[in-house]
Amino acid sequence: DWSSDVSSSDLSTLVRTLLGLLPPLRGRVHQGPHASFAYLSQKDSLPADLPMRVDRWVASGLEAGCSFLRRPWGWSKETRARVAAALELVGLSEARSAVYRELSEGQKQRARLAQALVGEASLTFLDEPTSAMDAPPEQQMLQALKSIALREGRTFVVISHQPSVLEHFATHAIDRKST
């Protein structure tokens, strides 16, 4: 777990470089043979007029082979189980058949978090993962991330402009004010 408080453009450049979307200015980024990545951007990228169900949006976070256009009954048992587990983790099991655009902003954020978590990536970048959430769901999500990290050995790079929110959950922190 890492949390950071640096400028948005610096973080965007860093994350895009680590994901291989931008070349590094110096040196190189080495990705191990078994590395897998996921990314939750700060902004919602789903078109507002797309009538997608929540479970299909979450399933689109799985690697190749799972399209949000495919009907859920065409998914494998493993896909259905992973989507159900991710939705349960973020407290949206009952909203799995709801249309994404009809969710509250906090529920959309939790669905986006489930999408980032469903693929079980070894390294997940989360940009403001609890924005739009009230305090209780925010604390539940951060505790869930910590539990996953400890139980499954996954790493979360959490980008937050409110580091005090993360101080009980992060194991490491970078604060631009102290560097």
Side-chain angles (χ1 to χ4, degrees):
D1 302 349
W2 289 81
S3 63
S4 180
D5 181 31
V6 296
S7 78
S8 295
S9 63
D10 290 345
L11 289 173
S12 176
T13 301
L14 172 64
V15 169
R16 292 181 60 170
T17 302
L18 292 174
L19 290 171
L21 302 174
L22 291 175
L25 295 176
R26 288 187 298 268
R28 64 188 179 116
V29 175
H30 175 72
Q31 298 173 353
H34 303 293
S36 58
F37 305 99
Y39 176 59
L40 169 67
S41 66
Q42 187 173 1
K43 297 185 189 222
D44 192 347
S45 60
L46 190 64
D49 60 346
L50 188 62
M52 185 185 310
R53 287 176 26 162
V54 172
D55 56 356
R56 293 182 190 173
W57 172 246
V58 171
S60 71
L62 292 169
E63 294 187 43
C66 188
S67 167
F68 66 82
L69 298 175
R70 186 182 305 158
R71 302 276 186 219
W73 53 84
W75 294 344
S76 68
K77 286 182 181 181
E78 179 186 358
T79 295
R80 284 194 300 272
R82 287 170 70 175
V83 168
L87 287 169
E88 184 176 336
L89 179 71
V90 300
L92 286 179
S93 293
E94 294 181 15
R96 70 181 173 280
S97 298
V99 176
Y100 177 84
R101 69 177 179 211
E102 294 173 359
L103 298 176
S104 71
E105 291 305 310
Q107 289 173 317
K108 285 179 183 176
Q109 187 67 4
R110 293 185 342 212
R112 293 174 61 236
L113 182 56
Q115 184 208 34
L117 296 174
V118 72
E120 300 176 350
S122 57
L123 177 60
T124 304
F125 294 92
L126 303 169
D127 192 354
E128 299 289 346
T130 60
S131 67
M133 290 185 199
D134 294 330
E138 175 181 68
Q139 295 301 310
Q140 291 169 342
M141 293 306 101
L142 293 171
Q143 188 59 49
L145 292 174
K146 185 173 185 174
S147 295
I148 291 169
L150 293 171
R151 184 178 62 247
E152 300 175 16
R154 293 168 61 181
T155 299
F156 298 101
V157 176
V158 179
I159 301 164
S160 178
H161 297 300
Q162 300 176 339
S164 62
V165 170
L166 300 172
E167 63 188 17
H168 298 295
F169 302 99
T171 57
H172 298 78
I174 300 171
D175 184 342
R176 92 180 139 112
K177 295 172 190 164
S178 64
T179 57

